Amino acid sequence: MNHIFKKIIVVMLIIILRPVSSYSLSINELMIITNENSLIIQADLEYLKKFQNDIELAKKMNDPTITLSGFVGAKHQETDSSEASFNPRNLNLTMSKNLFDGYKTKYSIIQANDLSLQADYLFEALKQNVYLESISSYLDLIHLRQSYDLTEQSLMLTKNNLDFKVQQHNSGDISDIDLEKAKLEYSKYEFSLKKIQISISDQEDLILDYMSTIPSTNKYPELMDRSLDLSSESLIEFAVNNNPTIKSSQIYLKILEHSKLIERSANLPKVDLEVGFNRNWDATDSAGQADEYSIIGSISIPLYESEEVNIKESNIDLDIIRNDKILKDQINTLKREINSLLDQIEMLNTEYEIENNQKEIYEKDIEIKKESYNVGSSSQLDIYDSQIKYNEHLISMAQIMNSKQKAHYILLNKIGKLTQ
């Protein structure tokens, strides 16, 4: 029920916004709206606070500890010659501070900062992927709407063609087969239009995952170029230094190195300082109050390296080797994907240029058919046929444009520049 109600609201909004349907939502505007509406982005943004808390915890790991303790009691003592009662009481205040813990605190703080930085990179990767999905949905919706408009025009042309064929059939100028062909062509376009309508509805449902309302435009937005240098070497170098997934993997290797140093601290000397104040009352039958002040420094030096620490270090080394190879594979994969996208974009640009030239030929053909019709050397059917072919060609060009824009934003995502 909520879904239906949501769709009704969306349809009403589309009707309201229809007069400004020529306005094309920019990609930057789309990303801002997606950022505000994506529950996944909002959830991970809140989760980042955890890593800031972890940094504060690491900094407080070596803070001094202050302990207050005490006791109170009653004692009664009897002997053959005497008996005595007294109430022993004690108050003890102690402050302990580690002066050196084998660099454990130092590297724990560095590691906590690196973990926070890694989380930021992973969050950036998540955002860019969500933005890319949102952009792809938006571009597909525009393409479907353009296809719908052109298919609707072709349907009207085939309807005119069918009506004309019916007249010809009634006058005996064409056969039953010719009429059936016209009916079949009309049915095909009618089916295609319904099919596109369903696809548009599904796409509108999909884009609601990223936006609170459905944009009503059917025009592609201006390409967000980000001042790209389309040379392979330049893009790959930029990607290695800026792709958030790559940066996250690089930081993770540092985190593992710091984990080794933290484990190694268990086999290093420790220096501690303890300052205390102790007060006793009625500690014995003859004593009243006794105060004691103390300051104690201690050092512990491991004489034997724990085998447990060595095993943990060895496991971390294996993890480093594994993740180093994973990082190299990620970089190699990224290089292949960037080169493939560059080839794809180049081919699409060439294809679009060729199809655009072909479009001009179709336009000239329609003009020639209209002129021929005016002088009686061609029929209205010839014009219909040329216009239908022209519309089909525009649909194919719209598909190429869709692929071009998608490839462009995938490239921005791969090099880590979608949001920069």
Side-chain angles (χ1 to χ4, degrees):
M1 182 64 69
N2 289 336
H3 175 74
I4 296 172
F5 183 69
K6 194 175 186 181
K7 288 285 290 181
I8 292 171
I9 293 174
V10 169
V11 171
M12 290 174 66
L13 285 169
I14 290 173
I15 293 171
I16 293 170
L17 295 175
R18 192 175 296 280
V20 292
S21 61
S22 60
Y23 170 70
S24 180
L25 190 70
S26 73
I27 296 300
N28 273 328
E29 290 171 329
L30 177 65
M31 289 194 293
I32 292 170
I33 293 171
T34 300
N35 187 70
E36 293 172 349
N37 287 275
S38 172
L39 295 177
I40 295 175
I41 290 177
Q42 292 171 16
D44 268 45
L45 182 61
E46 287 296 315
Y47 186 67
L48 287 179
K49 295 175 183 177
K50 168 192 177 297
F51 295 93
Q52 293 301 313
N53 292 338
D54 289 343
I55 293 173
E56 293 304 312
L57 285 174
K59 289 178 179 178
K60 295 180 181 300
M61 215 167 76
N62 214 6
D63 280 359
T65 58
I66 300 174
T67 306
L68 177 66
S69 62
F71 66 82
V72 61
K75 290 185 178 181
H76 181 75
Q77 183 177 341
E78 293 183 8
T79 65
D80 291 341
S81 59
S82 66
E83 63 178 67
S85 296
F86 54 93
N87 301 98
R89 288 167 289 169
N90 170 272
L91 181 66
N92 185 57
L93 181 65
T94 305
M95 184 187 77
S96 302
K97 176 73 172 73
N98 175 265
L99 301 180
F100 179 72
D101 61 358
Y103 303 111
K104 181 178 180 180
T105 300
K106 173 185 175 181
Y107 289 113
S108 294
I109 293 171
I110 294 173
Q111 187 183 61
N113 277 286
D114 284 344
L115 283 166
S116 178
L117 183 58
Q118 184 197 28
D120 288 338
Y121 282 127
L122 290 173
F123 178 62
E124 180 62 26
L126 170 78
K127 277 202 309 181
Q128 291 206 27
N129 288 334
V130 173
Y131 292 160
L132 185 62
E133 291 170 2
S134 175
I135 292 167
S136 179
S137 299
Y138 180 48
L139 296 176
D140 283 343
L141 179 61
I142 291 172
H143 172 246
L144 285 169
R145 285 177 174 167
Q146 289 183 348
S147 298
Y148 181 89
D149 291 343
L150 291 166
T151 303
E152 188 176 41
Q153 292 176 26
S154 295
L155 179 66
M156 293 173 62
L157 292 169
T158 55
K159 180 64 171 63
N160 293 339
N161 180 60
L162 177 59
D163 291 342
F164 193 78
K165 289 291 176 70
V166 167
Q167 293 177 9
Q168 286 185 313
H169 182 266
N170 291 338
S171 61
D173 293 332
I174 61 171
S175 65
D176 292 343
I177 294 177
D178 291 331
L179 180 60
E180 289 303 317
K181 286 181 180 178
K183 288 180 179 179
L184 181 60
E185 185 179 21
Y186 176 75
S187 297
K188 285 181 178 179
Y189 278 99
E190 193 175 39
F191 173 75
S192 294
L193 198 64
K194 289 179 181 178
K195 187 177 178 181
I196 295 171
Q197 278 179 320
I198 294 171
S199 296
I200 288 174
S201 178
D202 292 341
Q203 198 65 32
E204 288 174 346
D205 285 341
L206 179 60
I207 206 167
L208 283 174
D209 290 341
Y210 311 103
M211 306 178 68
S212 57
T213 59
I214 300 171
S216 57
T217 182
N218 63 349
K219 293 184 178 181
Y220 283 111
E222 289 186 16
L223 207 63
M224 186 178 64
D225 59 17
R226 298 290 193 206
S227 302
L228 279 182
D229 177 1
L230 290 179
S231 65
S232 174
E233 296 80 8
S234 170
L235 289 177
I236 289 172
E237 181 183 359
F238 187 91
V240 171
N241 293 321
N242 291 275
N243 180 286
T245 302
I246 298 294
K247 297 297 291 182
S248 167
S249 297
Q250 291 170 341
I251 290 292
Y252 186 61
L253 287 175
K254 292 182 180 180
I255 292 169
L256 291 173
E257 291 288 351
H258 295 142
S259 294
K260 276 181 62 178
L261 296 171
I262 291 170
E263 292 296 336
R264 194 172 295 166
S265 68
N267 285 330
L268 294 176
K270 309 290 187 299
V271 180
D272 296 288
L273 178 68
E274 181 179 290
V275 178
F277 167 75
N278 189 60
R279 171 171 289 181
N280 291 288
W281 294 271
D282 291 333
T284 66
D285 191 31
S286 59
Q289 175 180 310
D291 292 339
E292 179 184 337
Y293 302 90
S294 64
I295 178 167
I296 301 171
S298 65
I299 181 169
S300 60
I301 303 174
L303 299 179
Y304 171 75
E305 287 196 358
S306 169
E307 188 63 24
E308 179 185 352
V309 172
N310 293 333
I311 292 172
K312 286 181 177 179
E313 281 192 49
S314 177
N315 285 340
I316 294 171
D317 283 333
L318 293 173
D319 208 2
I320 289 172
I321 293 170
R322 174 179 176 271
N323 281 278
D324 184 60
K325 292 183 183 298
I326 289 174
L327 173 60
K328 289 176 181 176
D329 181 70
Q330 286 177 330
I331 291 173
N332 289 335
T333 301
L334 185 62
K335 289 177 180 178
R336 289 195 300 271
E337 289 174 341
I338 289 173
N339 285 325
S340 176
L341 281 166
L342 287 174
D343 291 340
Q344 183 182 347
I345 290 171
E346 183 180 359
M347 294 298 292
L348 287 168
N349 284 333
T350 303
E351 184 180 8
Y352 191 83
E353 186 178 347
I354 292 171
E355 294 300 310
N356 197 44
N357 292 334
Q358 182 66 44
K359 172 192 164 188
E360 294 177 5
I361 294 174
Y362 277 119
E363 289 172 346
K364 289 178 182 177
D365 181 63
I366 292 172
E367 291 301 317
I368 292 171
K369 292 287 174 60
K370 287 180 178 179
E371 291 174 3
S372 299
Y373 174 75
N374 291 333
V375 297
S377 59
S378 65
S379 68
Q380 188 70 50
L381 294 179
D382 294 327
I383 299 175
Y384 292 159
D385 184 60
S386 293
Q387 287 177 327
I388 290 171
K389 288 179 181 178
Y390 177 68
N391 289 342
E392 290 297 323
H393 188 74
L394 291 181
I395 290 174
S396 68
M397 287 186 68
Q399 179 61 61
I400 297 170
M401 176 59 71
N402 180 269
S403 299
K404 276 180 59 177
Q405 292 225 0
K406 278 186 175 181
H408 178 78
Y409 292 113
I410 293 172
L411 179 62
L412 288 177
N413 173 263
K414 292 296 180 185
I415 67 174
K417 205 173 183 180
L418 190 59
T419 58
Q420 293 182 18

